[in-house]
Amino acid sequence: MYQNHEERGGRAAGANSEGAKTMSRFNVRKVAVLGAGVMGAQIAAHLVNVKVPVVLFDLPAREGPKNGIVTKAVEGLKKLKPSPLGVADDAALIGQANYEEHLEQLRDCDLVIEAIAERMDWKLDLYKKIAPFVAPHAIVASNTSGLSITKLSEALPEEIKPRFCGIHFFNPPRYMYLVELIATPTTNAHILDDLETFVTTALGKGVVRAKDTPNFIANRVGIAGMLGTMHEVEKFGLTYDVVDDLTGKKLGRASSGTFRTADVVGLDTMAHVVKTLQDNLDEKSDPFYPSFGTPAVLKTLLEMGNLGQKAKAGFYKKVGRDVLRFDLESKEYVPSGEKADEVYGRMLKKPAGERLKLLRESEGAQGQFLWAILRNGFHYAAVHLATIAETARDVDLALRWGFGMKQGPFELWQEAGWLQVASWIKEDIAAGKTLSKAPLPDWVFSGAVAEAGGVHTPQGSFNPTTKKFEPRRVLPVYSRQLFPESLLGEAAQDPATAGRTVHEDDAIRLWTLDEEVLIATIKTKMRAIGMEVCEGLQQAVELAEKDYQGVVIWSGDEPFSVGADLQAMLTGMVGVGIGMVDEAEHFMQQTMLRLRYANVPVIAAIRGMALGGGCEVAVHSAKRVAAMESYIGLVEVGVGLVPGAGGLTYIARRAAENQAKSTHKDLLPFLIDGFTSAAMAKVGTSAIESRQIGYLLDGDTIVPNKDELLFVALDEAKAMFAAGYRPPHKRTFAVAGRSGKATIQGQLVNMRDGGFISQHDFHIASLIANVVTGGDVDAGTQVTEEYLMALERKAFGELLMNAKTQERIMGMLATGKPVRN
Ligand code: NAD
């Protein structure tokens, strides 16, 4: 269960299955989303991604077909970036409806999410209209960003009130992990539990429960923080580029920093959230209110219609290749790109306590600015904790998940030394340096928090109302998260040391949580696959065949693996010669075959990138369990190589298998897609698209919530073992031969001559064609995997000696970006 981390980390999947069995059976057959605007349409798209049937409503169009507004919104989804859909064509799965003709359809919906324009009167009108059609058990939830959920509920008939609450998604809803749930005084407790369970497992989100206060938790603290930052920027006279450099990755925040983030969000949206703060709060309810004035620059940009990225101008504007920044005084865009002083970059790398001390004592404007914004954040969060959230945990998680911060304000404060930082804030308040004179609450200085040295402890996180450290909510759904994201001070189990280690070296850790399944965790940088990793994987199979039910290849975070260790390969080639590379390739290929033909099931538990060698590990596993956000592909062409650890062999084999299952005589059509994916280094932009490309199979499992991946993978391994798992037969299969190769080559010539691909691309693609068709043999010739793997090695070795390929590899190693040559 989800009570405390020590218990959770130590518990094995067997125990967790029990929890999962007692999970609520809130059976969501269909969801209605009301409002096909920015949020409603994208929420509908995400529901499609996770296989929840959805019908999207909007007002009837005044002209043309009545569903016109919804239809347009659904079409828009296909073009939106980043894509709200796992696969663009799935937009067709969104049911379309309007309030004039289709209210009856609401009766089939178990959940109704309202996401219409942010106007209390409009929302209330709509609730009255839909109420007679809402199913007697259905949950109704509003996605409002700032309106009072309790006030909204008052317009509802008595029988719906207990089933009404807030469900606050963040934009873009597919990618933002946070969903805030907000109860009213009349919301039934089990309704919220049911919804939390559904949102966590089925939608794959991280739930934080918020109190019903303006803008809830993340936007309240986050936007107050942004306004405070803009205030300090003016005070210290810094430019936006420098501020973004300071407040991005270096500070452990979203890489777009402050102003570029505002541009991406849209300055109108931001102004809207600011306005909610201005309209719903006052100096009494929020002592920071005087600092909530719309900053002059924001006002000016809004007046100019420069709403950020969507208007192609905001705080920044791209002109040709240059990015310019807005200058408030001249109202012109001027050259930008200035970086922060290096000294602050160095300070930000220091341990938290030292870091904050150095910043606070620094003489330069940039350092003082950084201390000021961090201090304002601590000050604001502490003053408001009791009103907006139940515990400090909810504030920190909301800011991590809703604002892309690595640490929430309380975590950083605690890490830096609770009482020391508290006294600094107190001094600053007394000196008139803070945004508000409001004192820090008493609990900061005395009692449980002061004694524990912070708000997060192994017993739980501080609740300023009960004055206790409260454990996490106990819901069976959380037993599916074996290693959920933890906060500093919680003393959670680290997946890097949890369970019992069976073998560990620098490249890999083989361990078990339940003594039933062996977990293989790759430890190299970006989980690159070199010889040691291959040895480790082979050893995993060896051990599992003796003592375990299966192997799960899993890591606590992203990526799954970015592929072969290029650096090691290049060094080996220079030092030992090409023979070494051939040997290494051979060993990798043997590893893949060992995974494929293991006598126990090997499960690849994928999250994030599984590229090149990572993809090859995945496709040679018995099964793949992939988080929704998995990006899988054979990308070797990008570094001038061909997939050389069985990737092309897999493509050829899969084509033959697919053909064998069909009535078609010709193999080539089955091969073309796979060939093209490898030749164009195509990567699936989601697990769903990765399946379309063929790197995941229909029988593989896609898991919406990244934190449930290990739980599902362990269960799959055990289920396969229990079903009497045997590896596939080792068979020969037919290849398309020289005639197939000639056909592909003909198309490649056209592409090269038409200027679509370079000569080197042509050369690599020809080599790929040679491997996947089996080379110089007759069409239909039966081959073995080993035969094709030998062709892979030959092509790989040849390319590695090629100057253009070497240029690509060096470029990638130096800049992380592909070189086009
Ligand atoms: P939007 O303006 O893009 O879309 C609103 C939709 O409501 C439109 O499709 C419109 O046709 C419909 N609508 C307008 N008047 C209506 C009426 N009287 N009756 C029924 N439908 C009507 O808005 P949005 O940005 O998608 O926001 C929708 C809700 O989600 C708001 O409550 C907003 O606060 C909240 N929200 C927005 C964001 C965001 O970043 N945009 C994030 C989280 C929550």
Side-chain angles (χ1 to χ4, degrees), residues 701-720:
T701 305
I702 297 177
V703 183
N705 195 317
K706 63 187 174 59
D707 287 339
E708 295 186 0
L709 197 59
L710 181 60
F711 171 85
V712 177
L714 291 173
D715 255 17
E716 293 271 12
K718 282 183 271 194
M720 287 166 83

Side-chain angles (χ1 to χ4, degrees), residues 34-43 57-59 69 73 99 114-119 121-123 125-126 129 142-147 167-172 219 265 269 272-273 276:
L34 313 181
V38 175
M39 289 303 284
Q42 289 193 84
I43 293 168
F57 280 82
D58 211 305
L59 296 166
I69 296 177
Y99 307 119
E114 172 273 306
I116 71 159
E118 188 78 330
R119 280 269 303 260
D121 51 344
W122 294 352
K123 289 189 196 265
D125 274 354
L126 184 65
K129 203 185 302 177
S142 174
N143 181 49
T144 177
S145 317
L147 299 175
I167 184 167
H168 187 219
F169 285 89
F170 284 70
N171 190 16
N219 276 344
V265 169
T269 304
H272 184 87
V273 188
T276 314

Side-chain angles (χ1 to χ4, degrees), residues 24-91:
S24 117
R25 298 314 308 264
F26 171 46
N27 185 8
V28 182
R29 289 157 305 174
K30 195 176 198 176
V31 175
V33 177
L34 313 181
V38 175
M39 289 303 284
Q42 289 193 84
I43 293 168
H46 188 61
L47 286 161
V48 165
N49 291 338
V50 295
K51 297 207 290 191
V52 176
V54 56
V55 53
L56 180 60
F57 280 82
D58 211 305
L59 296 166
R62 292 217 182 93
E63 286 165 23
K66 288 252 157 70
N67 276 347
I69 296 177
V70 177
T71 307
K72 197 163 158 232
V74 170
E75 282 307 307
L77 287 171
K78 296 187 202 166
K79 288 171 235 135
L80 209 59
K81 291 271 170 271
S83 177
L85 287 153
V87 168
D89 288 346
D90 281 354

Side-chain angles (χ1 to χ4, degrees), residues 595-613:
L595 297 177
R596 178 164 157 75
Y597 293 106
N599 257 328
V600 288
V602 176
I603 313 276
I606 305 162
R607 175 181 161 193
M609 291 179 284
L611 305 179

